[in-house]
Amino acid sequence: MVRQERNRRGAEPGADPQEPGRLAADPGELAEQAPTDTRRRAGQKIFAHQERLDAKTAELMVRPGFRERVEALMRDQWREPVIVVRLQEDGLGFDVPGRREDGTVKGKRLIRRFFWNILRGIGVAVAYVFYLAYSSGSGGGKSGSRRAAVTGPADAMALGLLDRIRAADGPWLVFSPSHVALVDTGSTQSDPAHAPPPEILWQASTPQEVEVNLRRRKLTWPDGSVFAFPLHNRGEEQHLRGYLEAPDTVHWTKSS
């Protein structure tokens, strides 16, 4: 009912009308739309505090030094300016014929799944108790549901990239004016000085092989398959936003 009501009203202030639920503007800018000075000041303080918390969390999950190593590698490779963002690698949803929702191939790992189903049955009572507790606190929702990150026909061209993301320990997407690549650094919570060298797992030219829309965070292949790439955290969203200007301008040198 809430979603239907929002659809009738149209996009919320500051939202992207093409993608309900995703803000087109920086959240801090929404404070400027408050009706009074008092509310604007309060909103600015709240967003400033949240940004500080996000920055601290981002440094714990993606330690400084990894992005810089990937940037240096791909600038040398392509001889172009680059934009580097850390991807969310867990919970990617698939809506592609022949693939399960988690991206695994249907018909494979049947024995493993058989024993897993037995173990899951043993623990279902305990899991159900936790599910009820979570649902009561969060307003419900489908248990285990995933938002589809990749859609397309059977044997979609996007699957070549997605399978490599699922196998990576620290996946980064790298963009330049004429290329896009996937680079794996290994875990980004370790000391980068002791990490292995970044490894290029996949790359393609744009827009010939894949079309990139950074504002909407989408990669589209000639067969119509789409990867709506989720970023690792809000810190990565803010990092990417620093290169973008509405409606679809990309500044390859990050604005201050």
Side-chain angles (χ1 to χ4, degrees):
M1 292 295 293
V2 173
R3 181 174 294 178
Q4 291 175 353
E5 177 62 24
R6 287 180 177 173
N7 288 341
R8 286 195 296 267
R9 291 201 314 258
E12 298 291 346
D16 185 343
Q18 299 184 34
E19 294 185 273
R22 175 174 295 177
L23 294 179
D26 187 290
E29 296 176 8
L30 298 179
E32 299 299 328
Q33 301 178 22
T36 66
D37 289 341
T38 301
R39 292 184 180 181
R40 278 194 290 273
R41 288 193 295 270
Q44 289 167 352
K45 289 181 179 179
I46 291 172
F47 285 124
H49 177 65
Q50 184 62 49
E51 285 184 357
R52 289 193 294 271
L53 291 178
D54 289 341
K56 291 181 180 179
T57 301
E59 285 196 7
L60 291 175
M61 301 302 294
V62 183
R63 295 185 60 174
F66 284 100
R67 190 192 315 275
E68 291 77 8
R69 297 178 74 186
V70 176
E71 288 174 341
L73 172 67
M74 301 315 297
R75 276 198 301 263
D76 290 344
Q77 176 88 8
W78 292 333
R79 303 296 178 183
E80 293 182 323
V82 297
I83 298 173
V84 178
V85 290
R86 174 71 159 84
L87 289 181
Q88 172 188 322
E89 68 273 28
D90 297 326
L92 297 177
F94 287 67
D95 185 9
V96 176
R99 295 292 182 115
R100 300 187 186 94
E101 190 179 18
D102 65 357
T104 55
V105 179
K106 291 182 179 179
K108 292 189 176 181
R109 302 179 180 176
L110 295 180
I111 296 177
R112 182 184 302 178
R113 289 176 63 83
F114 171 76
F115 285 106
W116 167 245
N117 287 336
I118 294 177
L119 293 174
R120 185 173 58 183
I122 295 174
V124 68
V126 176
Y128 186 64
V129 171
F130 282 103
Y131 165 75
L132 291 177
Y134 174 80
S135 297
S136 63
S138 65
K142 288 187 177 181
S143 176
S145 62
R146 301 167 182 249
R147 179 179 179 180
V150 58
T151 58
D155 299 322
M157 297 175 72
L159 293 175
L161 169 60
L162 268 294
D163 286 340
R164 287 169 174 81
I165 291 175
R166 292 175 60 243
D169 293 320
W172 300 77
L173 273 184
V174 187
F175 305 94
S176 80
S178 59
H179 295 87
V180 58
L182 172 69
V183 176
D184 185 15
T185 60
S187 173
T188 54
Q189 298 180 46
S190 60
D191 186 346
H194 301 147
E199 180 183 2
I200 303 172
L201 301 183
W202 172 92
Q203 60 181 313
S205 61
T206 61
Q208 293 83 5
E209 297 179 74
V210 60
E211 182 179 341
V212 175
N213 188 317
L214 286 177
R215 183 183 64 83
R216 301 184 68 185
R217 301 210 295 268
K218 287 187 176 182
L219 305 182
T220 305
W221 279 258
D223 66 348
S225 56
V226 175
F227 175 37
F229 59 90
L231 298 182
H232 193 263
N233 51 37
R234 284 197 61 201
E236 292 301 312
E237 294 177 4
Q238 293 167 353
H239 178 78
L240 177 59
R241 192 180 294 121
Y243 293 93
L244 306 180
E245 180 183 345
D248 290 304
T249 301
V250 178
H251 298 284
W252 293 101
T253 301
K254 188 174 183 180
S255 59
S256 57

